[in-house]
Amino acid sequence: QVQLVESGGGLVQAGGSLRLSCAASGSIFSSNHMGWYRQAPGKQRELVAGITSGGSTNYADSVKGRFTISRDNAKNTVYLQMNSLKPEDTAVYYCNTWGQLHAAWGQGTQVTVSS
């Protein structure tokens, strides 16, 4: 059963923007905090942004001021607006719960930022 489906990644020039979407099952989304995570080659997966069920947000220092996380509860969808992208943002981006045991990870979406 596919519960998390990420989309919106791609190849972008440094300084550009992308908007990622994550469609989640209702059982995951409805009463959970949600987060965006990323994993670059040879590195651990890290949280980049989180949003509570009430809409409060948290960001990693490396993306603060550039990325914005939001959620649409009616659509069971969480978004990540990424602006002023840098080559070091290159990674596979995943969504999942935040602050709880994770659901099964989806396929992720590749973000590549060229110099």
Side-chain angles (χ1 to χ4, degrees):
Q1 181 181 351
V2 177
Q3 296 182 296
L4 296 163
V5 180
E6 301 93 343
S7 62
L11 175 64
V12 65
Q13 186 178 353
S17 298
L18 287 171
R19 192 190 195 210
L20 308 184
S21 298
C22 171
S25 70
S27 62
I28 292 176
F29 193 90
S30 294
S31 59
N32 282 312
H33 306 339
M34 298 295 295
W36 281 97
Y37 304 78
R38 68 185 181 189
Q39 187 168 25
K43 296 186 177 180
Q44 296 290 309
R45 183 157 28 216
E46 63 176 351
L47 178 75
V48 298
I51 185 166
T52 70
S53 57
S56 297
T57 58
N58 175 269
Y59 299 94
D61 287 342
S62 60
V63 307
K64 196 170 298 181
R66 300 187 297 119
F67 291 10
T68 303
I69 188 171
S70 61
R71 64 193 293 159
D72 186 334
N73 293 338
K75 296 181 178 179
N76 289 344
T77 301
V78 61
Y79 305 96
L80 186 67
Q81 178 67 47
M82 305 186 294
N83 298 326
S84 302
L85 283 162
K86 304 175 179 180
E88 51 262 45
D89 296 320
T90 295
V92 179
Y93 284 72
Y94 303 86
C95 64
N96 215 311
T97 59
W98 175 45
Q100 307 88 30
L101 292 176
H102 296 314
W105 295 95
Q107 82 287 353
T109 185
Q110 175 72 49
V111 172
T112 303
V113 184
S114 62
S115 303

